[in-house]
Amino acid sequence: MYGAHAKCYTYPMESIIEVKGLTKTYGNVLAVDHISFSVRKGEIFAFLGPNGAGKTTTIKMLTTLLRPHDGSIRLNGFNALKEPDKVRRSIGIVFQDPSLDEELTAYENMEFHGVLYGVPKKVRRERIEELLSMVGLWERRGDLVKRFSGGMKRRLEIARGLLHHPQILFLDEPTLGLDPQTRVSIWSYVERLNQEEGITIFFTTHYLYEAERVADTIAIMDNGKIVAQGTPEELRAKTGMTSLEDIFISLTGRRIREEEAGPMEGLRLRRKILR
């Protein structure tokens, strides 16, 4: 069961992500409202909040996919606005929506990614075998991705995101639309990566139990702002509440709906039902 993520080492105190005054607007809508936070090297950091809170917009700015209107971002010692290529080589990304080429095999998806990132051929092939074995897909490496289940695709995306040895792995709602058993499996792989390789994990979620059981530090986001940040124990001490759901209600004045889903998720659910 995921959640037993006690580390066998002590975190270094230096920050691998430093964000100050980050702001993004869409017309008259303030999507991200002057947020500041830092993430320590080697920790699992969660952005918790409902759909529309600004989580995905924030992660897109951190990964250089969107340019902020104000604020600064440093990742792995690099200025994200001035050194985007260096930042991109420091990170791996698993997007909320699938980004694999379904007409290619699992191995071909990995190989293509490795070539794009300039991973040397010998290193690339050793790493592909290592990662596909770790996520339980080595025996399926020659299968077309379109034949994979949702959970298998997610595992392949995680493996692909790690091929170039990133320092930080970004996961945007990585278990959205997956069944509970597959969610447990995904988080088991992620925690293993964090513990064995010391990779910093930054993920967004609106699943309360994922944030509480997996994250070392949680930033609660609502209406474009970070309303609180800390370990689960620190958040309990701050609010006097026991459960993360009660903590969220105490800080935001409303309940987070774990069944929330955007249009793409609705289509996925309907497709599963029709099958």
Side-chain angles (χ1 to χ4, degrees):
M1 185 67 176
Y2 66 86
H5 62 280
K7 302 294 188 295
C8 58
Y9 58 88
T10 302
Y11 287 134
M13 293 306 293
E14 67 266 22
S15 297
I16 195 167
I17 301 175
E18 296 179 353
V19 174
K20 296 180 181 178
L22 194 62
T23 305
K24 183 67 177 179
T25 60
Y26 294 102
N28 295 324
V29 177
L30 188 56
V32 177
D33 189 359
H34 299 87
I35 64 173
S36 300
F37 63 92
S38 63
V39 178
R40 294 173 299 171
K41 186 176 182 179
E43 76 172 327
I44 300 180
F45 186 94
F47 249 26
L48 172 68
N51 289 338
K55 306 188 306 297
T56 295
T57 299
T58 299
I59 213 170
K60 285 182 176 180
M61 288 189 284
L62 296 180
T63 56
T64 75
L65 297 175
L66 276 180
R67 189 171 183 85
H69 287 106
D70 198 8
S72 65
I73 305 168
R74 291 193 71 83
L75 283 92
N76 198 32
F78 302 118
N79 185 317
L81 302 181
K82 296 180 180 179
E83 304 170 285
D85 289 339
K86 291 179 179 179
V87 166
R88 290 173 194 138
R89 292 188 177 275
S90 298
I91 63 176
I93 311 170
V94 176
F95 297 100
Q96 186 174 141
D97 291 316
S99 60
L100 298 166
D101 189 328
E102 297 201 344
E103 297 302 322
L104 297 180
T105 66
Y107 194 96
E108 288 168 341
N109 268 278
M110 295 286 285
E111 179 86 354
F112 183 63
H113 183 84
V115 170
L116 282 179
Y117 274 86
V119 181
K121 185 175 181 179
K122 184 176 184 297
V123 175
R124 183 170 73 238
R125 298 197 168 172
E126 290 175 353
R127 185 71 168 162
I128 289 173
E129 181 174 357
E130 174 190 352
L131 290 169
L132 289 182
S133 297
M134 185 198 70
V135 299
L137 292 175
W138 179 246
E139 298 303 320
R140 302 290 301 272
R141 63 189 180 279
D143 291 359
L144 294 176
V145 170
K146 65 183 178 182
R147 297 174 184 161
F148 284 5
S149 67
M152 291 169 68
K153 290 176 182 177
R154 266 291 187 252
R155 281 150 50 196
L156 178 57
E157 287 179 314
I158 290 171
R160 185 185 62 175
L162 294 165
L163 185 58
H164 58 289
H165 288 280
Q167 300 297 305
I168 309 164
L169 179 63
F170 286 95
L171 305 169
D172 189 14
E173 298 276 5
T175 62
L176 190 66
L178 301 180
D179 62 87
Q181 184 176 357
T182 303
R183 287 177 186 167
V184 171
S185 176
I186 294 295
W187 284 118
S188 294
Y189 291 122
V190 170
E191 289 182 299
R192 178 181 164 190
L193 285 167
N194 174 253
Q195 293 170 9
E196 294 182 1
E197 298 194 21
I199 295 174
T200 304
I201 307 294
F202 185 110
F203 74 97
T204 70
T205 186
H206 64 265
Y207 294 121
L208 292 158
Y209 63 88
E210 283 190 350
E212 187 164 24
R213 295 180 182 178
V214 176
D216 301 301
T217 302
I218 300 170
I220 296 177
M221 194 168 190
D222 193 37
N223 293 322
K225 297 181 179 181
I226 295 177
V227 296
Q229 178 180 325
T231 65
E233 293 75 18
E234 289 169 343
L235 293 174
R236 291 187 187 100
K238 178 177 180 178
T239 61
M241 303 294 178
T242 302
S243 74
L244 192 55
E245 182 175 19
D246 289 338
I247 290 170
F248 187 88
I249 294 170
S250 171
L251 293 169
T252 67
R254 60 197 181 94
R255 186 181 303 273
I256 189 170
R257 294 178 58 212
E258 295 204 348
E259 70 274 16
E260 284 181 323
M264 286 299 296
E265 177 63 7
L267 287 173
R268 292 192 194 99
L269 291 174
R270 285 193 289 274
R271 187 169 59 192
K272 287 179 182 179
I273 291 168
L274 289 173
R275 284 177 182 167

